[in-house]
Amino acid sequence: MASIPPTLQTLIDELSRLPGVGKKSAQRMALHLLRQPREKSQTLADALLAVKDRLSLCRRCFNIAEGDQCPICSDARRDPQTICVVEQSSDILPLEKSGAFRGLYHVLGGVLSPLDHQGSDDLRLAELIGRVKDENVREVIVATNPTTEGEATALLIAQVLKPTGARVTRIARGVPVGSDLEFADEATLSRALEGRGEI
Amino acid sequence: MASIPPTLQTLIDELSRLPGVGKKSAQRMALHLLRQPREKSQTLADALLAVKDRLSLCRRCFNIAEGDQCPICSDARRDPQTICVVEQSSDILPLEKSGAFRGLYHVLGGVLSPLDHQGSDDLRLAELIGRVKDENVREVIVATNPTTEGEATALLIAQVLKPTGARVTRIARGVPVGSDLEFADEATLSRALEGRGEI
C-alpha cells in the first residue's frame, strides 16, 4: 500500500515472519514500536542478536545453553542417573514447569519422520547411547510427542538402548487432567484404559 | 525459571512487551528466532532501528513519513481540497484500504479525553485551522472513532472550523456491512435509523 513508508513496511514484513504473527498484528506491533522511545527498540534489537551470539547448544544434552553447559546439566542437585529424552529443547520448558522431573535431559533434535526425510541418522542417538554408557544412567524416560512419529522414535530408542541394560520407559498417554471424557478421542481413551492403574 | 538461559529470557521479556504478545507466544517467537540463521535476526534488528531513525511525522498532515512529506501528501493525484481528520496515523491505513477517499489527511494526535488529561491543546487543531485557511480546503471529513470522546472531538472541530466557512462532515455511523441486526447494540441501531437514506 502506497500510504505506508517503505521503512515501516520492511519492519511489518519482518515482524510478520515471526510464528503466530499475521499481517494485522505485525502492523500493530510496528506502529507500537514507532511510538515508543528509541532505547526500547534498541533493547529489543540487542536482545535479538545476543540470542544468536551468546547462546549455543549444551555439550551434554543439546539443550539451549549460555556457555558450555545448560543450566540444568550444571545444576548439581539434579539426578544424573535419570535422562528424559525430548524432541526439541522447547519441550523441556513445560516438563520443568510441572516440577515432576529432577533428572537430566537429552534433546534428540527431531523424530523419525520419513515424509520429512528425517531418519535415525538425523537424531542424536549415538550421543544418547554414549551418555547412557558413560554416565552410568539407570533410567531413560522417553518423552517424545504422543504422535505416530514420536511413538516410532520411542520404540527405536528402546531398541538401541537395549544392549546398555538401562531401563527405558515412556511417559503415560491418557486423558488430560481437567478435560471431559465426552470429548476425548478413541485413541486417547484406548491408551488411558490400557495404562490404567490401581486406585 | 532456571531452565531458560538469561539471554533467552531477556529476548522473551522484550518480545512480550509487544502489543498482543503473551508470555507463551513470546517464548515461541524467541525459540523460532534462535533456530533461524543470524542474518534473519540481523534484518529484523535493523528494521526495528531503521523505523526509529528514518521515519518522522509529515510536516503537512502529521502522518508517518520518510522525509518531509508522507506518501499521501506528496501524491499529486490526491485532491488537496478535501481533508479527512483522523485520531492516529494508524487510522489512515483502513481508510486507504477502502479506496473510497482520494483527498488528504490530518492526524489529530488524539481526542478530547478529560480522564486522560487530554484537552484541546493536546490536539493539532491550530495546524488544522491553518491548513483549511491556507490550502483553500472545501470539505473536512471528521473520521474520529465513533466513541464518546471521538464524537466530542468531532463537535469541537466543527466549532473551531466554523469561521473558515469550510464544510465539516462526519462519517456515517450505522450497522456494519455483513453484520447481523440481531447482535447490533441500541446506540448503533439508533444511529443507523437516524442516518437512513433513500433507496
Side-chain angles (χ1 to χ4, degrees):
Chain A
M1 223 168 37
S3 62
I4 302 181
T7 307
L8 188 60
Q9 190 59 56
T10 306
L11 179 59
I12 294 173
D13 293 344
E14 286 305 318
L15 286 170
S16 61
R17 276 184 232 280
L18 294 173
V21 179
K23 225 187 125 192
K24 278 228 164 173
S25 347
Q27 217 168 65
R28 225 176 114 215
M29 286 178 192
L31 289 169
H32 167 88
L33 288 162
L34 186 64
R35 274 194 288 266
Q36 68 176 7
R38 193 184 189 285
E39 306 89 74
K40 299 244 177 181
S41 298
Q42 183 72 61
T43 315
L44 178 53
D46 291 346
L48 276 167
L49 296 177
V51 156
K52 298 303 296 180
D53 293 337
R54 281 197 235 147
L55 296 185
S56 52
L57 294 184
C58 173
R59 274 202 196 180
R60 192 170 180 184
C61 76
F62 304 95
N63 183 16
I64 300 153
E66 199 152 1
D68 253 14
Q69 280 207 335
C70 77
I72 298 172
C73 283
S74 37
D75 185 347
R77 288 164 305 175
R78 315 269 321 200
D79 169 21
Q81 293 195 301
T82 317
I83 289 183
C84 178
V85 179
V86 293
E87 294 181 20
Q88 306 289 350
S89 48
S90 51
D91 297 332
I92 295 180
L93 302 179
L95 285 165
E96 282 297 288
K97 264 188 199 153
S98 79
F101 181 66
R102 300 300 302 158
L104 301 182
Y105 290 91
H106 187 83
V107 181
L108 269 188
V111 271
L112 288 181
S113 176
L115 286 175
D116 303 321
H117 306 286
Q118 197 156 1
S120 59
D121 292 345
D122 302 309
L123 308 178
R124 300 193 190 99
L125 283 174
E127 291 88 342
L128 177 63
I129 301 170
R131 283 183 70 187
V132 172
K133 281 182 185 162
D134 300 345
E135 298 177 21
N136 193 24
V137 173
R138 277 176 317 179
E139 182 177 356
V140 174
I141 304 171
V142 184
T144 50
N145 287 328
T147 57
T148 318
E149 292 86 357
E151 299 297 352
T153 311
L155 287 177
L156 176 68
I157 292 173
Q159 213 170 42
V160 300
L161 288 182
K162 202 149 204 181
T164 66
R167 191 178 165 213
V168 181
T169 55
R170 179 85 175 105
I171 51 164
R173 282 128 307 167
V175 283
V177 177
S179 66
D180 199 320
L181 275 200
E182 201 183 334
F183 305 116
D185 60 296
E186 300 118 60
T188 301
L189 278 178
S190 140
R191 284 290 191 179
L193 285 167
E194 275 174 43
R196 69 192 179 277
E198 295 290 338
I199 302 173
Chain B
M1 222 168 42
S3 63
I4 302 182
T7 307
L8 189 61
Q9 190 59 57
T10 306
L11 178 59
I12 296 173
D13 293 346
E14 286 304 319
L15 286 170
S16 61
R17 276 184 232 280
L18 294 173
V21 179
K23 224 187 127 193
K24 278 228 166 173
S25 348
Q27 219 170 63
R28 226 175 113 216
M29 288 180 192
L31 288 170
H32 166 89
L33 288 162
L34 186 63
R35 274 193 289 266
Q36 67 175 9
R38 194 183 186 283
E39 307 88 73
K40 299 247 177 180
S41 298
Q42 183 72 59
T43 316
L44 177 54
D46 290 347
L48 276 166
L49 297 176
V51 155
K52 297 306 295 181
D53 293 337
R54 284 198 233 148
L55 297 184
S56 52
L57 293 184
C58 172
R59 273 203 198 178
R60 192 169 181 186
C61 76
F62 304 97
N63 182 15
I64 300 153
E66 198 153 0
D68 252 15
Q69 278 207 338
C70 77
I72 299 172
C73 283
S74 38
D75 184 347
R77 290 165 304 177
R78 315 268 322 199
D79 169 21
Q81 293 194 304
T82 317
I83 289 182
C84 178
V85 179
V86 292
E87 294 181 19
Q88 306 290 348
S89 48
S90 50
D91 297 332
I92 295 180
L93 301 180
L95 286 164
E96 282 298 291
K97 263 189 200 155
S98 79
F101 181 67
R102 299 301 301 161
L104 301 182
Y105 290 91
H106 188 84
V107 181
L108 269 189
V111 271
L112 288 181
S113 176
L115 286 176
D116 303 321
H117 305 285
Q118 197 155 1
S120 58
D121 292 345
D122 302 307
L123 309 178
R124 301 193 189 100
L125 284 174
E127 291 89 342
L128 177 63
I129 301 169
R131 283 184 69 187
V132 172
K133 281 182 183 158
D134 301 344
E135 299 177 22
N136 193 25
V137 172
R138 278 174 318 179
E139 182 176 356
V140 174
I141 304 171
V142 184
T144 50
N145 286 326
T147 56
T148 319
E149 292 87 358
E151 299 297 352
T153 311
L155 287 176
L156 175 68
I157 292 173
Q159 213 172 43
V160 299
L161 288 181
K162 200 148 205 180
T164 65
R167 191 179 165 213
V168 181
T169 56
R170 178 86 174 104
I171 51 164
R173 283 128 306 167
V175 282
V177 177
S179 67
D180 198 320
L181 275 199
E182 202 184 332
F183 305 116
D185 60 297
E186 300 118 60
T188 300
L189 278 177
S190 140
R191 283 291 191 178
L193 285 167
E194 276 174 43
R196 70 190 179 280
E198 294 289 337
I199 303 172

